[in-house]
Amino acid sequence: MRVTRRPRLCLAGVMAASALFATPAARAAEPTVGHLTDLVDPFIGTQNEGNTFPGAAVPFGMVQLSPDTGHSTGYDYSHRRIRGFSLVHLSGVGCRIGGDLPALPTTGDVTQTDYARYAAGFRHEDERASPGYYRVGLASGIGAELTATARTGVQRYTFPATDKANVLLNAAQSLHKPVASEVRILDDRTVRTKITGRGFCRNTPPYTVYTLTRFDRPFTAYGTWGGATVTPGARTGSDGAYLRFDTTRRRTVTATTALSYVDAHGAEVNLRAEGGRSFDAVRAAARRAWEERLGTVRVTGGDRTRRRTFYSSLYRSFLAPNVGSDADRRYRGWDQRVRRAQDFTYYQNWSLWDTYRTQCQLLALLAPREARDMAVSVVRVGEEGGWLPKWGYGTVETNIMTGDPVTPFLTTAYQQGLLAGHDGYEERAYRVLKRNADGVPPPGLPMAGREANAEYIAHGFAPYDKGRPQAKLGDSDYHQGGSVTLEYALSDAMLAQMARGLGHTGDAARYAARSRNYRNVFDPSTGFFRARDVSGAFTGPADPAHSVGFHEGTAWQYQWLVPQDLPGLIRLLGGDRAANDRLDAFFAYDRLLADPEGTARRVWVHGDPYAYYHADKYNPQNEPDLIAPYTYLSTGQPWKTTDVVHAALTLFTDAPTGVTGNDDLGTMSAWHVLSSIGLFPVQPGHGTWGLSTPVFDRVELVLDRRYWPSGGLTVTAPGTSAADRYVQTVRADGVPHARTYLTTGALRSLRTLVFTVGPRPSEWGTSPQSAPPALT
């Protein structure tokens, strides 16, 4: 091993930082008995493409202040150098975005402007994180601490004794592609930036963020840079600024940075509203906010590892969507006009293809006020921007992913009662959904919407046309015709239910008929769904494991994506026995019974989180399969749902690799939470909750009485374990419940749900009348 000698000043700083920041366990939070935040490990998912971040945020905060190590989405646990602590991260996304204004403390002269070169080394032994707080001792001898409010990030640096302590603010480098940046030093404490970037999975339209950073003490010197040229004493620059401090007596420097997507004034407003408090006060407030949020779920039973993974997933479920409006309620709409949110908080960042399956339902259950504002925000995007979004970041559409995910997202809000009684938002949501379902966005808008809608409506399927030029940036529905047909049909079914509830009976019948279009891509000769070309012929390999036209999956994965009409699908497959045989093969059920965890890790998962294709088995790492384990609830064998779900839950661990694939703004984490509780949204976009054995003896949900009149639900499964995991009976408020599901209507007034469990499957839920109903 080579030992590099450092100057004495830096060595002393390292020793000081280590003394201040070292912890016996690199990722352990401070032990405080009884605090749920102590069960959360923000490092879970930071390795092997979980793409989570360990930094500081409050629930749904605009700011997610976190270290960037060189990974495309921010932080990778296997890396050993930090390039900066930047303001914006999205938990679990699969493409570059954010990383705006990375700041890094240094000592000595400023000679490097590329953060890949001036990056500081660190060790995990000198690093720790908990909700709302992060700290690390850098190899440079500097200690860094991070905390946040909703719209500001606060950094506190502990320097060695030196008259050349610097903070670098790098406006021109980020995770995405920089377009333009401006830096202005306003006075001896304050720096303003304007940063425009673009990126994500494609070269999407640019967006702009505005920041205002205020330090708790005056600079002793400063300068800016453009490219590689550093200009001491300059107040303006294109790319970055350095601020110098004398820390020979006072060792700490604290900086508070406010963020706005509206304008420079918005950043000033946010700094006035949320800045001005000490670092420790902000940290304590962030911890309280997380304690309150996590306290909506109280679990009893299970070992500490299970509780840690559960609460860490619950934490990640509350990280997004993110506040988009400033403290004065202004926000920038998708028409790029500045607007004001009068009766709601405006939210942004919509990974809808992912979150419509799990996370939006969890938020409707546990955070209905915020979920209501999120739904209203999406409606506003549809009204003000001209069309509904598909995958929206900040103020722009990326058109990433395919299908029509916004429909089940908004119909979930409708079915959970979130839009009732609020300025006509039920009908307003319906109007923008109907326009989306019956048309295609005009060429002048960036949104792609249901790109293949004309063919789908005319012929009953979206064609697979891989050679078709893309009309708009992002992904094309024509390139994924098989899965797109299934996604459109699912959305039609959910919109039909909303139309019926609002009295639009003609529309309801029309959408219900279209929801059966899934049958048009079923190939009887193979017994699987299969893409069709523009002539209507089935296309691609007949082998379902090598099918074409299915987005991030194969025909094996997508065969179960008909939650609106599982009885109809089961008939296509040849009945319950044939469907169960197909399910057993899909889940490798015989091997699963003998070795649940081994099957999950060696049969289902193939190592690469992005290995979506050429597989004939369940892929628990990605969204198309999330509902699949619950299909057994409709085939008369509900105990197998528990077998599969409990095996999949073993993939969630308390290690940095402990998230199965990209977390996608809380999607996988929400699956973990809901499946652990034993309540899962088996018909996304509708109010149907499938039942399976909880993994905890007792779960207490604290619910908002304005949306859930019961005020709380207690789910118990005394003695639940790997050995005793099969449902024997279910009682809802003391009344025997033979069905494998609950409706939202029933759930609203329910106070207790009691599972009796045993070592062998029972007759519970096996009758045809017990299965979730078809919606078509």
Side-chain angles (χ1 to χ4, degrees):
M1 177 183 294
R2 172 178 290 183
V3 178
T4 303
R5 295 185 178 273
R6 290 191 174 92
R8 185 170 297 177
L9 177 64
C10 289
L11 179 58
V14 170
M15 294 173 66
S18 296
L20 182 62
F21 294 107
T23 174
R27 295 176 289 107
E30 293 180 3
T32 304
V33 175
H35 287 89
L36 295 175
T37 48
D38 296 324
L39 292 172
V40 174
D41 185 349
F43 288 97
I44 295 173
T46 58
Q47 193 172 350
N48 198 28
E49 303 305 320
N51 293 352
T52 60
F53 63 86
V58 296
F60 313 118
M62 179 186 293
V63 169
Q64 309 91 35
L65 184 58
S66 189
D68 294 324
T69 64
H71 187 270
S72 62
T73 63
Y75 180 96
D76 188 306
Y77 194 80
S78 64
H79 292 174
R80 293 296 181 267
R81 289 168 63 83
I82 291 174
R83 299 180 175 191
F85 306 101
S86 65
L87 293 172
V88 177
H89 299 82
L90 296 184
S91 183
V93 296
C95 299
R96 294 178 181 272
I97 200 69
D100 299 291
L101 197 63
L104 193 73
T106 69
T107 57
D109 294 327
V110 177
T111 60
Q112 293 284 354
T113 61
D114 180 353
Y115 68 178
R117 292 180 176 271
Y118 65 65
F122 74 103
R123 303 183 312 157
H124 292 307
E125 290 81 2
D126 299 325
E127 184 183 39
R128 53 192 271 195
S130 60
Y133 178 69
Y134 171 89
R135 76 186 192 187
V136 65
L138 302 174
S140 59
I142 303 168
E145 297 174 89
L146 314 178
T147 190
T149 69
R151 300 174 179 87
T152 73
V154 187
Q155 306 178 53
R156 181 166 66 186
Y157 303 122
T158 301
F159 287 93
T162 177
D163 62 358
K164 290 186 177 181
N166 312 304
V167 177
L168 310 184
L169 299 179
N170 196 330
Q173 291 185 283
S174 60
L175 301 176
H176 53 71
K177 299 174 183 177
V179 173
S181 57
E182 303 171 10
V183 180
R184 181 178 294 274
I185 299 174
L186 302 182
D187 56 40
D188 64 358
R189 293 174 183 257
T190 313
V191 182
R192 171 178 290 161
T193 73
K194 177 182 178 181
I195 302 169
T196 300
R198 70 192 315 160
F200 205 52
C201 297
R202 306 287 189 274
N203 194 26
T204 50
Y207 70 96
T208 299
V209 295
Y210 303 83
T211 77
L212 190 65
T213 302
R214 183 159 296 150
F215 291 84
D216 67 336
R217 56 192 292 193
F219 327 136
T220 58
Y222 55 82
T224 64
W225 69 81
T229 302
V230 180
T231 307
R235 286 185 173 269
T236 61
S238 60
D239 292 354
Y242 72 88
L243 306 315
R244 177 161 292 161
F245 302 88
D246 186 337
T247 59
T248 54
R249 293 186 179 180
R250 181 181 169 189
R251 302 276 299 284
T252 61
V253 174
T254 301
T256 301
T257 301
L259 178 66
S260 172
Y261 288 82
V262 178
D263 52 25
H265 176 68
E268 293 175 6
V269 167
N270 292 340
L271 189 62
R272 285 199 303 270
E274 300 181 14
R277 291 180 291 167
S278 71
F279 182 95
D280 291 331
V282 175
R283 178 191 175 189
R287 183 179 174 90
R288 287 194 300 271
W290 278 114
E291 199 67 37
E292 180 179 355
R293 187 65 63 182
L294 297 171
T296 56
V297 184
R298 295 273 179 172
V299 302
T300 303
D303 60 22
R304 184 172 177 82
T305 297
R306 172 157 282 172
R307 294 194 299 274
R308 281 171 59 83
T309 59
F310 177 85
Y311 277 106
S312 296
S313 286
L314 186 61
Y315 160 79
R316 293 189 299 272
S317 300
F318 292 134
L319 287 171
N322 306 99
V323 170
S325 50
D326 291 335
D328 61 2
R329 310 197 72 81
R330 295 183 310 146
Y331 67 93
R332 187 169 293 277
W334 279 33
D335 56 0
Q336 300 307 311
R337 293 176 56 188
V338 177
R339 300 178 177 274
R340 191 176 298 273
Q342 296 290 354
D343 62 341
F344 70 104
T345 297
Y346 180 78
Y347 287 87
Q348 58 192 21
N349 302 336
W350 308 106
S351 182
L352 296 173
W353 187 82
D354 310 290
T355 59
Y356 89 78
R357 307 165 199 259
T358 59
Q359 195 242 10
C360 72
Q361 291 87 351
L362 182 65
L363 296 189
L365 187 67
L366 299 179
R369 284 178 292 175
E370 291 83 357
R372 176 259 176 183
D373 285 0
M374 292 167 189
V376 168
S377 299
V378 170
V379 173
R380 289 294 187 99
V381 169
E383 293 176 337
E384 298 162 2
W387 211 267
L388 287 167
K390 183 171 290 184
W391 209 126
Y393 176 74
T395 59
V396 300
E397 173 64 280
T398 72
N399 289 320
I400 295 304
M401 306 313 296
T402 50
D404 178 20
V406 71
T407 293
F409 173 86
L410 282 177
T411 62
T412 290
Y414 165 74
Q415 294 291 348
Q416 307 298 343
L418 304 181
L419 299 177
H422 295 293
D423 292 337
Y425 271 111
E426 288 185 327
E427 285 291 345
R428 290 170 69 175
Y430 181 73
R431 283 197 295 271
V432 292
L433 284 170
K434 180 178 178 181
R435 179 175 60 184
N436 175 72
D438 290 340
V440 177
L445 291 178
M447 300 82 156
R450 287 192 181 200
E451 186 183 12
N453 217 17
E455 294 88 342
Y456 172 81
I457 292 172
H459 307 300
F461 65 91
Y464 171 68
D465 188 1
K466 190 66 174 177
R468 185 185 182 106
Q470 289 188 224
K472 298 182 179 181
L473 294 172
D475 291 312
S476 172
D477 284 0
Y478 288 106
H479 298 171
Q480 312 291 348
S483 59
V484 162
T485 300
L486 299 176
E487 300 265 14
Y488 286 5
L490 183 158
S491 295
D492 282 339
M494 304 312 161
L495 189 55
Q497 296 298 311
M498 183 178 184
R500 184 173 294 111
L502 293 175
H504 303 292
T505 55
D507 286 348
R510 182 164 56 90
Y511 293 133
R514 279 174 26 183
S515 75
R516 295 187 285 274
N517 281 345
Y518 73 89
R519 302 174 184 178
N520 296 330
V521 289
F522 185 81
D523 182 357
S525 70
T526 65
F528 284 86
F529 294 121
R530 197 171 172 197
R532 299 173 70 171
D533 64 22
V534 292
S535 73
F538 289 113
T539 186
D543 180 354
H546 295 85
S547 52
V548 298
F550 292 89
H551 205 167
E552 294 191 358
T554 69
W556 271 98
Q557 273 97 44
Y558 274 95
Q559 68 185 314
W560 313 113
L561 194 63
V562 190
Q564 73 271 22
D565 188 19
L566 282 178
L569 173 63
I570 291 166
R571 286 193 293 272
L572 285 178
L573 296 178
D576 284 346
R577 169 178 264 181
N580 280 318
D581 288 345
R582 181 78 62 82
L583 284 163
D584 289 350
F586 181 59
F587 291 114
Y589 187 72
D590 288 343
R591 296 179 65 176
L592 173 68
L593 285 181
D595 183 8
E597 186 170 357
T599 301
R601 293 196 173 277
R602 292 186 290 275
V603 179
W604 297 347
V605 175
H606 301 285
D608 181 358
Y610 299 108
Y612 305 132
Y613 301 104
H614 311 305
D616 63 355
K617 293 294 184 287
Y618 174 48
N619 180 3
Q621 299 184 113
N622 205 34
E623 281 72 15
D625 284 2
L626 293 184
I627 311 171
Y630 294 89
T631 307
Y632 283 118
L633 301 183
S634 295
T635 63
Q637 296 185 338
W639 67 88
K640 292 183 178 179
T641 288
T642 292
D643 288 330
V644 173
V645 167
H646 284 208
L649 288 172
T650 66
L651 296 170
F652 292 86
T653 73
D654 61 352
T657 57
V659 173
T660 57
N662 299 164
D663 199 36
D664 288 322
L665 272 65
T667 298
M668 306 307 292
S669 292
W671 187 94
H672 179 201
V673 170
L674 291 163
S675 294
S676 296
I677 292 172
L679 284 171
F680 191 85
V682 294
Q683 292 176 322
H686 193 63
T688 311
W689 301 81
L691 303 179
S692 64
T693 307
V695 300
F696 296 105
D697 290 335
R698 182 182 181 91
V699 180
E700 297 177 62
L701 306 179
V702 179
L703 305 178
D704 189 329
R705 289 185 182 275
R706 284 175 290 185
Y707 299 93
W708 302 96
S710 68
L713 173 65
T714 300
V715 181
T716 59
T720 182
S721 67
D724 292 326
R725 65 178 183 268
Y726 296 114
V727 177
Q728 307 297 300
T729 64
V730 175
R731 300 181 74 87
D733 282 344
V735 178
H737 184 83
R739 294 178 177 176
T740 60
Y741 68 97
L742 284 165
T743 65
T744 291
L747 201 59
R748 286 189 191 286
S749 58
L750 193 64
R751 294 181 179 275
T752 62
L753 188 64
V754 179
F755 291 81
T756 303
V757 297
R760 288 175 295 278
S762 71
E763 294 297 312
W764 175 82
T766 58
S767 73
Q769 295 74 30
S770 297
L775 302 180
T776 58

